[in-house]
């Protein structure tokens, strides 16, 4: 799904791309600001579309076109897309309408089998209604010649920007559907499709029948209101025109069971009211669920079960644990808790250990 823009330089292609996509194409008041293809993306009908901005094309022969112009020519020749040909009727781009129409005729073969729209741009500077009749007829003749759409637009006032985008997308979607329907794949599907139009069997009019049991249930309010839709509380949601401040009348009728959410909004909202979870306690006797948890039982409370020497014992355990950790760390370093060596011997042992570490590291480096 591609939309491709083409035309002479400075006719408003890059500005249109910046309007409908997140692309940030450079826009300057001189020719060939866009020197390569720029691709942006937009969404239409939950589909992702790519929009391609091409460099400006000058009206001369194919042999005289440079590599910048040839990028636009190649894109037009090889891409299946919806083409927007921009025409600046204010002539502020530096090219007259006659020159723009001449370019259209020279690249007309590239528009074959493509959905084409002629976009009359910069109508904020030169309104389409007040344009010279001869120039207007010249542009309209182009649209009639190739049987394409003609739309007016302005990037400054954003007149017609959304309409041009929507029309280009719709034309390309319609052409893709037509191509699939006219293909050979549809024949295998059409043979399996059958359309039936039911016809009346007689002239008797049969009205809707509501059983008496249903009418009684509606009258008693057991299955909702007369429109067969149970009325439920909407409290807590954004109010609408259907909501009525009727107090109890707004509360649910029938046999609908209130949820914890309904009760929460009725009792002040979140942070003010919370459900009593003791209802969910699974006890031997359900009557015990809401009993207060006793602080004293059999003449004792929790302080009677606390060891008075608990802090002293905890300190001794922590000291013992610290000593064990030190001994374990010394064993990991290859040292004994108590050494009988003097300072010179300990220094020699330390040097030997360092040498061993260096040798082990060198062997690991060689292996790797």
């Amino acid at each position: 799904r591609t939309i491709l823009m083409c035309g002479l330089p400075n006719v408003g292609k890059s500005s249109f791309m910046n309007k409908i996509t997140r692309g940030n194409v450079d826009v300057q008041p001189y020719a060939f600001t866009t020197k390569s293809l720029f691709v942006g993306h937009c969404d239409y009908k939950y589909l992702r579309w790519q929009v391609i901005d091409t460099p400006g094309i000058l009206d001369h022969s194919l042999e005289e076109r440079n590599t910048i112009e040839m990028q636009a020519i190649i894109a037009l020749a090889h891409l299946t897309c919806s083409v927007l040909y921009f025409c600046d009727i204010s002539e502020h781009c530096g090219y007259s309408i006659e020159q723009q129409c001449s370019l259209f005729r020279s690249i007309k073969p590239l528009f074959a089998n493509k959905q084409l729209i002629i976009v009359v741009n910069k109508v904020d500077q030169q309104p389409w209604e007040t344009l010279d009749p001869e120039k207007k007829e010249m542009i309209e003749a182009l649209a009639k010649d190739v049987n394409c759409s003609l739309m007016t637009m302005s990037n400054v006032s954003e007149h017609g920007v959304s309409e041009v985008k929507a029309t280009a997308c719709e034309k390309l979607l319609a052409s893709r559907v037509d191509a699939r329907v006219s293909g050979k794949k549809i024949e295998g599907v059409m043979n399996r499709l059958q359309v039936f139009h039911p016809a009346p069997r007689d002239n008797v009019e049969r009205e809707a029948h509501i059983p008496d049991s249903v009418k009684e249930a509606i009258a008693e309010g057991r299955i909702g209101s007369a429109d067969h839709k149970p009325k439920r509380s909407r409290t807590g949601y954004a109010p609408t025109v259907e909501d009525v401040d009727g107090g109890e009348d707004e509360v649910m009728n029938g046999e609908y069971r209130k949820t914890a959410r309904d009760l929460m909004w009725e009792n002040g909202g979140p942070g003010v009211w919370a459900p009593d979870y003791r209802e969910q306690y699974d006890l031997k006797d359900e009557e015990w669920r809401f009993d207060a948890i006793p602080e004293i039982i059999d003449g004792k409370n929790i302080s009677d079960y606390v060891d008075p020497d608990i802090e002293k014992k905890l300190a001794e355990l922590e000291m013992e644990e610290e000593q064990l950790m030190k001994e374990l760390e010394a064993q990991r370093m290859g040292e004994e808790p108590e050494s009988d060596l003097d300072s010179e011997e300990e220094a020699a042992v330390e040097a030997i250990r360092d040498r061993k570490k260096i040798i082990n590291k060198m062997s690991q480096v060689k292996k790797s």
Side-chain angles (χ1 to χ4, degrees), residues 2 47 66 77 79 91 110-111 114 139 158 162 187 199 201 206 227 252 261 263-265 278 285:
T2 306
L47 298 173
N66 55 28
L79 291 179
E91 300 182 352
L110 299 175
F111 299 147
K114 290 182 173 61
I139 298 174
E158 297 187 356
S162 300
E187 295 179 359
R201 58 185 178 184
R206 295 175 174 82
D227 58 356
M252 297 129 302
R261 182 186 181 88
L263 295 172
M264 177 185 67
W265 287 107
R278 293 181 296 178
D285 189 348

Side-chain angles (χ1 to χ4, degrees), residues 4-7 13-14 34 36-38 52-57 71-72 75:
L4 189 141
M5 298 174 289
C6 64
K13 304 184 295 295
S14 299
T34 304
S36 62
L37 299 179
F38 282 90
I52 301 179
D53 181 20
T54 62
I57 307 173
Q71 295 180 67

Side-chain angles (χ1 to χ4, degrees), residues 166-179:
T167 304
C169 295
E170 288 290 350
K171 289 173 72 71
L172 186 59
L173 287 176
S175 66
R176 289 161 63 97
V177 172
D178 293 340

Side-chain angles (χ1 to χ4, degrees), residues 231-245:
K231 184 177 180 182
R232 296 185 178 182
S233 174
R234 297 169 60 91
T235 310
Y237 297 90
T240 64
V241 294
E242 299 178 359
D243 294 327
V244 181
D245 297 332

Side-chain angles (χ1 to χ4, degrees), residues 307-318:
D307 188 352
D309 299 330
I310 187 67
E311 294 182 359
K312 181 180 178 181
K313 293 180 179 179
L314 177 61
E316 292 176 355
L317 286 174
E318 290 178 350

Side-chain angles (χ1 to χ4, degrees), residues 116-272:
L116 177 63
I117 299 176
I118 298 178
V119 180
V120 178
N121 196 19
K122 302 184 182 180
V123 294
D124 58 305
Q125 301 178 10
Q126 170 59 60
W128 174 251
E129 294 77 12
T130 60
L131 184 64
D132 184 50
E134 294 182 359
K135 296 180 179 179
K136 186 184 291 187
E137 291 177 2
M138 195 181 304
I139 298 174
E140 291 176 346
L142 295 178
K144 292 180 182 178
D145 186 20
V146 295
N147 192 22
C148 68
S149 303
L150 179 66
M151 303 185 69
T152 60
M153 192 190 73
S154 171
N155 289 319
V156 176
S157 63
E158 297 187 356
H159 162 73
V161 173
S162 300
E163 289 77 3
V164 170
K165 170 190 168 183
T167 304
C169 295
E170 288 290 350
K171 289 173 72 71
L172 186 59
L173 287 176
S175 66
R176 289 161 63 97
V177 172
D178 293 340
R180 291 180 180 180
V181 171
S182 60
K184 295 182 180 180
K185 292 183 179 180
I186 197 66
E187 295 179 359
V189 179
M190 292 298 293
N191 296 333
R192 289 178 277 174
L193 297 178
Q194 296 181 359
V195 180
F196 295 94
H197 299 280
R201 58 185 178 184
D202 50 36
N203 297 325
V204 178
E205 294 185 2
R206 295 175 174 82
E207 299 180 355
H209 174 69
I210 302 176
D212 295 336
S213 59
V214 176
K215 292 180 180 179
E216 293 176 359
I218 292 174
E220 296 174 2
R222 287 187 284 110
I223 63 172
S225 57
D227 58 356
H228 299 279
K229 296 179 180 179
K231 184 177 180 182
R232 296 185 178 182
S233 174
R234 297 169 60 91
T235 310
Y237 297 90
T240 64
V241 294
E242 299 178 359
D243 294 327
V244 181
D245 297 332
E248 294 296 331
D249 295 335
E250 190 179 6
V251 181
M252 297 129 302
N253 57 9
E255 296 182 354
Y256 176 73
R257 181 181 177 183
K258 292 183 180 181
T259 63
R261 182 186 181 88
D262 298 326
L263 295 172
M264 177 185 67
W265 287 107
E266 289 178 3
N267 292 277
V272 179

